[in-house]
Structure formats: structure tokens, C-alpha cells
Amino acid sequence: MHLFHHLPAPAVGLTHWAVYEVPLHGIDRQWSTHFVGFEQSSGLVQVTSQTLEFNADDALGLSQTGKVFHLMGAPAVETGPLGKWTQWKKLSGVKLERDITTSFYKALRALSGAWI
């Protein structure tokens, strides 16, 4: 994942979020990073496509589809997002995952001067 410094599109706010890595393109290739959480405006659960870039100063991630996601507040494990994540993995043929939420959050706090 790279860092970007401009906002290419309006951001979609994600609350009660988590971050996962999966071997979407094969176990021997770089694992892809995905955000899962509640979309702030609608309350619907969102699983992002592969996150390509991330701006730690503003907690903004650019997905492969061109959407920008804003991680809002602290991460949280919720039943709705976990169910949608499990469904997404099944539909995508993914069996392995790494939950990197805690380490991602700690790194964000350190890099951004505790933006939360």
C-alpha cells in the first residue's frame, strides 16, 4: 500500500472498522488489504476492494475501484461487518486472512500524532 497526499474523490466514512489482509492473488504474492465497517451515511456494511494507497494524516484509503474511504474513530469488532466480511471471502474464494486491525491502528496513531 502506498501513501497519497491528495483526495481523488469524495470520501466514504467508515465507522466500527477493521482491516484485513488476504492472499487474493495467490498465497505467494503480496496480500491485499481491505477495510470493513459501517458506512457512516447509510449505516450499511461495506467491504472495500483492495486498498492501494493510504494517507495516515487524514486516515484516508484509496481502493482499487477509485473510492476513498475515511476510517473514523477507533476500530471495533461488530457482528454485521464480520458477517459481510465472511460472505465476501467466500464469494472471492479466500480461505486465509490476517486481521491487522490492531497493528494498523497503532501505526496510524504513531504516524498521525493520534488523529483519533
Side-chain angles (χ1 to χ4, degrees), residues 7-76:
L7 186 62
V12 175
L14 284 183
T15 64
H16 300 90
W17 53 271
V19 185
Y20 295 95
E21 289 182 330
V22 296
L24 193 58
H25 306 291
I27 196 161
D28 295 331
R29 301 190 63 192
Q30 182 176 355
W31 287 33
S32 61
T33 305
H34 303 265
F35 301 142
V36 182
F38 288 107
E39 189 175 314
Q40 181 192 29
S41 63
S42 68
L44 297 175
V45 175
Q46 180 82 354
V47 175
T48 70
S49 60
Q50 181 175 352
T51 303
L52 301 176
E53 299 181 40
F54 193 77
N55 178 325
D57 291 333
D58 299 314
L60 297 171
L62 176 65
S63 74
Q64 188 172 22
T65 60
K67 286 186 180 178
V68 176
F69 292 92
H70 178 205
L71 300 181
M72 304 177 74

